[in-house]
Amino acid sequence: MQLYDSGRAPNPRRVRIFLAEKGISVPLVPVDLGRMENKSPEFTSINPRQRVPVLVLDDGTAIAETMAICRFFEALQPEPNLFGQTPKEQGLVEMWQRRAELDLLIPIMMVLRHLNPGMAQAEVPQVAEWGEVNKPKVLAALEFFNDSLADKAYLAGDRFTVADITLLVALDFLRVIRTEVPQDHAHLLRWRDVVSQRPSAKA
């Protein structure tokens, strides 16, 4: 199998961190988003949505979408468990993963894609007003996650899960919109310091 990857993009990094936590090694095929290689006929034949990451299995099956790829590897190698073991834990992990993705990571992407001139070819049309609308959404999400981490070690409970991967990648991606976690968000900063020390965070 092969994983089509792009080093600068947040979603491929989520998969790389997930694989590092699992101790799984998969050959990477780099896709240069800056050169629009994801728009090429060759890549489009693999993923018509023209997005990374994409996992191509030995039989030619292509699995796109970040969480779909992670769930494939969770089923392939259940331990260490990252999606939850009990029904309750699975529900909580799914809830927090979606919140981190929808409430923080995607608004960051919208600010970047609609306000950065360098993204004009990738985001057609760019709608500056939509980029501006998402700026306060990012700040509100940071406050929400800070409050949510006031009484727990990790986002979905007492251990590291895929929800933490999404939140970490989102926080690191703040740099592209020149935003930082406010210094008064002590719980979120404490959490980030802890999870950033995991070896997988370097993926």
Side-chain angles (χ1 to χ4, degrees), residues 63-172:
I63 302 175
E65 306 302 333
T66 301
M67 285 298 108
I69 295 170
C70 291
R71 286 190 177 279
F72 171 86
F73 284 110
E74 181 88 343
L76 190 68
Q77 181 178 305
E79 296 296 335
N81 174 277
L82 293 171
F83 274 97
Q85 292 177 321
T86 66
K88 176 181 176 180
E89 190 179 35
Q90 289 173 7
L92 288 171
V93 171
E94 182 72 15
M95 177 182 76
W96 284 107
Q97 195 290 130
R98 291 289 284 169
R99 285 176 171 176
E101 185 176 63
L102 296 176
D103 295 348
L104 184 58
L105 183 56
I106 289 178
I108 294 170
M109 290 180 180
M110 293 302 98
V111 174
L112 171 68
R113 294 179 71 91
H114 288 278
L115 292 178
N116 189 317
M119 297 296 295
Q121 285 186 307
E123 192 65 44
V124 181
Q126 279 189 317
V127 182
E129 292 84 357
W130 181 237
E132 293 293 343
V133 162
N134 276 276
K135 285 183 176 180
K137 291 183 179 183
V138 170
L139 298 178
L142 292 175
E143 183 175 1
F144 171 75
F145 287 113
N146 178 67
D147 293 343
S148 300
L149 286 161
D151 58 355
K152 55 188 176 181
Y154 296 99
L155 194 54
D158 60 0
R159 68 183 183 88
F160 185 87
T161 69
V162 69
D164 298 287
I165 293 176
T166 297
L167 184 57
L168 174 63
V169 170
L171 292 187
D172 288 348

Side-chain angles (χ1 to χ4, degrees), residues 2 5 14 26 30 35 42 48-49 53 55 58 64 81 86 92 109 121 132 137 141 155 161 165 170 173 178 190:
Q2 293 180 318
D5 175 75
R14 290 160 73 190
V26 178
R35 295 185 178 182
E42 294 79 10
R49 298 294 290 157
L55 178 68
D58 293 340
N81 174 277
T86 66
L92 288 171
M109 290 180 180
Q121 285 186 307
E132 293 293 343
K137 291 183 179 183
L155 194 54
T161 69
I165 293 176
F173 203 56
R178 299 179 181 179
R190 179 263 307 159

Side-chain angles (χ1 to χ4, degrees), residues 12-24:
R13 186 182 174 217
R14 290 160 73 190
V15 174
R16 293 197 307 271
I17 293 175
F18 189 90
L19 292 175
E21 288 286 335
K22 291 281 189 182
I24 298 174

